[in-house]
Amino acid sequence: MFDNKSEITKETIRVPKSEIRILLWDIDGTLMASTRPGSYREYFAPALERVFGSSGRLADLNVSGMTDTQIAYEALRDQGLTPERILAEKENLLRVFKEEMSRVLSVWENPYFIYQGVREILGKTAESPLFINALLTGNLSCAAELKLTSVDLWQFFTDVPHAFGEISHDRRDLAREAGRLYNRFLQTELRPEQFIVIGDTPNDIACARAFGARAVSVATGRNNPAQVLARHQPDLLLENLKQTENLFRSFSEL
């Protein structure tokens, strides 16, 4: 995995840095989905119990668009836990979460599926010097890697920085952090509009707007149909990711 402390550049970049577009992909509901909706609680609850002594209100939450640290906070705030307290346990939480998630996934058969067109557009953009595929996801880093590896998509996201859920309980902070990471990674000052946040919830749009990035909404998630996403005025609204050539051209023109 990319080390966020590294001071390296991407050798494959062959276009002026002012033309580069950083594609910040959400995972759940955008690239892939669980074959067992709601089953994340089977590893999330025991992880919270091991680290914080309780899973609180986890069973009652609608977690669409939340970061994993926000989920932990919403589940446990009635017990006095703050976002700062949760983030202070980040290293322990990552270790335990990975253990619990790996345990659960080891007994599930085909736990995830990817949406149609995902592999094609990731392959197309990966071949272009104009784009860098990166992750902006509410998932903890360990969860993101486990999920994407299980469906053979992690290969598209190696050796570059990502904005993961352990950065903040507030998803809007993730885009701002992505900007800092890529300015250091590419040793330049990218404009916010060179970043394209791609997700399936209104929170993804709000995240992009907080930073000044472009917002692309995909109506593939379970909880936010196209008419709901449209009310939040993304720069581009898609029913799905199937039309590879059209989508590649749209990304180029944003």
Side-chain angles (χ1 to χ4, degrees):
M1 185 181 297
F2 176 80
D3 179 355
N4 286 343
K5 296 181 180 179
S6 298
E7 296 287 347
I8 60 175
T9 57
K10 189 181 182 188
E11 294 180 354
T12 55
I13 293 172
R14 301 184 301 277
V15 298
K17 291 177 182 177
S18 61
E19 296 180 13
I20 294 169
R21 296 295 180 269
I22 312 299
L23 302 179
L24 296 171
W25 294 91
D26 172 52
I27 295 179
D28 300 301
T30 302
L31 296 177
M32 59 187 289
S34 173
T35 58
R36 298 159 56 96
S39 57
Y40 70 92
R41 297 184 182 91
E42 295 180 32
Y43 52 82
F44 214 120
L48 291 181
E49 289 162 7
R50 285 178 60 186
V51 177
F52 301 107
S54 171
S55 60
R57 299 175 50 249
L58 180 67
D60 301 324
L61 297 180
N62 176 2
V63 302
S64 178
M66 291 187 186
T67 67
D68 281 351
T69 46
Q70 183 183 5
I71 294 170
Y73 166 61
E74 295 294 342
L76 299 171
R77 65 176 178 173
D78 290 347
Q79 300 177 38
L81 269 75
T82 63
E84 292 75 20
R85 171 74 176 83
I86 291 166
L87 290 169
E89 292 288 339
K90 178 175 66 175
E91 296 305 320
N92 190 28
L93 180 61
L94 288 171
R95 177 184 61 81
V96 171
F97 202 96
K98 183 176 182 179
E99 291 174 0
E100 292 295 338
M101 188 172 179
S102 297
R103 175 186 60 81
V104 169
L105 293 184
S106 69
V107 297
W108 285 358
E109 184 176 357
N110 300 320
Y112 301 107
F113 67 93
I114 62 173
Y115 291 112
Q116 290 183 318
V118 165
R119 197 176 303 278
E120 291 79 4
I121 189 57
L122 289 177
K124 179 78 171 176
T125 51
E127 293 173 353
S128 170
L130 183 65
F131 297 111
I132 296 176
N133 287 310
L135 298 168
L136 190 159
T137 173
N139 284 268
L140 298 176
S141 53
C142 57
E145 185 170 0
L146 285 170
K147 288 180 181 181
L148 292 170
T149 298
S150 75
V151 292
D152 195 31
L153 291 182
W154 183 247
Q155 61 178 306
F156 294 108
F157 298 102
T158 57
D159 302 321
V160 295
H162 305 294
F164 291 119
E166 65 260 31
I167 289 172
S168 174
H169 75 292
D170 187 336
R171 195 180 193 97
R172 293 171 295 182
D173 292 337
L174 272 59
R176 290 187 281 259
E177 180 63 15
R180 288 189 286 269
L181 289 172
Y182 272 92
N183 285 340
R184 187 172 68 179
F185 179 60
L186 298 176
Q187 298 179 3
T188 191
E189 192 72 24
L190 299 177
R191 306 181 310 279
E193 58 267 26
Q194 289 182 254
F195 294 80
I196 302 174
V197 176
I198 308 161
D200 67 301
T201 74
N203 279 357
D204 296 295
I205 302 171
C207 173
R209 296 291 180 247
F211 177 54
R214 304 297 189 221
V216 173
S217 291
V218 190
T220 44
R222 294 187 175 101
N223 299 307
N224 295 284
Q227 59 268 30
V228 170
L229 295 169
R231 292 200 291 267
H232 297 268
Q233 299 181 321
D235 296 293
L236 180 64
L237 177 57
L238 305 166
E239 288 289 342
N240 53 58
L241 297 171
K242 293 181 184 180
Q243 302 297 321
T244 303
E245 295 300 328
N246 290 342
L247 185 53
F248 182 88
R249 184 167 55 253
S250 295
F251 284 166
S252 303
E253 293 171 352
L254 278 176

